[in-house]
């Protein structure tokens, strides 16, 4: 098993996007690359800790590659908005790939460069690509949020469209029970 860590806005949405992919064993919502140890949700939301809301994926590279995870990452959020995803604004919502090794760094930088060279988006990709310096799991009530609270308005209007996009674009990569 290997790890991948991505920031793409509110971790509730990002977690829901990756949970049902074949080869993904676990997705944990959390905080990374900030200035203090073991931050709380309230501290991260203040914008003063420097942490990003992220998800950390435990995956089987024999079933799904890091490159495939990157493809899902780039296609399910707007990597051109600095410190923002939709109505969620603040540095904690920044787009980021927090790599665990040089191969992940290389693949993320190559993909970002190709997107920019192809003008895949109206604006340049601003996703930060940095080494993972720290990861702290979020509080328990943030874990598996969409699956436990899918009826809530935020989940219906923000997370659900992203989950449906993954089902439409990557249906062949979904676990059989969710396809």
């Amino acid at each position: 098993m290997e790890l991948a860590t991505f920031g793409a806005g509110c971790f509730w949405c990002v977690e829901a996007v990756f949970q049902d992919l074949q080869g993904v064993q676990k997705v944990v919502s959390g905080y990374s690359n900030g200035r203090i140890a073991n931050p709380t949700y309230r501290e991260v939301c203040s914008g003063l800790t420097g942490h990003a809301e992220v998800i950390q994926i435990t995956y089987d590279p024999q079933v799904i590659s890091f490159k495939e995870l990157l493809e899902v990452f780039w296609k399910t959020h707007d990597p051109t908005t600095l410190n923002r995803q939709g109505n969620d604004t603040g540095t904690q919502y920044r787009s980021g790939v927090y790599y665990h090794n040089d191969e992940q760094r290389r693949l993320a930088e190559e993909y970002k460069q190709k997107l920019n060279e192809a003008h895949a988006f109206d604006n340049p990709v601003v996703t930060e690509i940095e080494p993972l310096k720290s990861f702290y799991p979020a509080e328990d009530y943030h874990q598996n949020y969409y699956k436990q609270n899918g009826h809530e308005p935020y989940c219906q209007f923000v997370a659900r469209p992203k989950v449906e996009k993954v089902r439409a674009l990557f249906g062949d990569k979904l676990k059989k029970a969710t396809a």
Side-chain angles (χ1 to χ4, degrees):
M1 293 295 185
E2 292 186 18
L3 296 174
T5 305
F6 299 125
C10 173
F11 48 37
W12 297 342
C13 297
V14 187
E15 176 188 69
V17 161
F18 286 93
Q19 280 182 314
D20 293 332
L21 296 174
Q22 291 177 32
V24 171
Q25 180 189 45
K26 179 170 68 169
V27 180
V28 178
S29 291
Y31 317 109
S32 74
N33 289 24
R35 292 183 286 279
I36 65 171
N38 298 305
T40 65
Y41 182 66
R42 179 167 282 168
E43 289 171 328
V44 172
C45 286
S46 76
L48 300 175
T49 68
H51 291 87
E53 283 194 18
V54 299
I55 50 108
Q56 191 162 82
I57 303 165
T58 302
Y59 69 99
D60 181 348
Q62 300 299 316
V63 179
I64 190 165
S65 68
F66 184 73
K67 195 171 184 178
E68 290 171 303
L69 292 173
L70 277 175
E71 182 180 10
V72 173
F73 167 77
W74 295 114
K75 290 184 178 178
T76 55
H77 81 292
D78 182 352
T80 69
T81 54
L82 187 62
N83 301 328
R84 173 186 206 109
Q85 284 299 304
N87 290 330
D88 295 328
T89 60
T91 57
Q92 69 270 26
Y93 299 117
R94 64 190 180 268
S95 175
V97 175
Y98 303 98
Y99 58 86
H100 294 256
N101 56 52
D102 285 338
E103 178 69 2
Q104 287 185 356
R105 177 196 52 76
R106 183 186 66 74
L107 290 169
E109 288 176 354
E110 279 179 10
Y111 208 127
K112 179 179 175 179
Q113 182 178 347
K114 286 179 183 174
L115 289 171
N116 279 328
E117 287 173 355
H119 302 285
F121 298 96
D122 291 336
N123 296 306
V125 173
V126 296
T127 302
E128 65 183 16
I129 299 171
E130 296 184 350
L132 181 71
K133 297 171 189 146
S134 61
F135 174 79
Y136 302 100
E139 295 82 349
D140 286 346
Y141 69 93
H142 290 297
Q143 307 303 328
N144 206 30
Y145 194 87
Y146 177 74
K147 289 192 180 208
Q148 294 179 7
N149 300 282
H151 61 283
E152 296 291 334
Y154 183 89
C155 289
Q156 285 294 305
F157 294 109
V158 181
R160 191 168 126 235
K162 292 180 183 221
V163 170
E164 289 173 354
K165 185 175 186 177
V166 168
R167 289 186 176 148
L169 292 175
F170 303 103
D172 60 324
K173 294 184 186 327
L174 294 176
K175 295 173 182 170
K176 300 296 180 232
T178 58

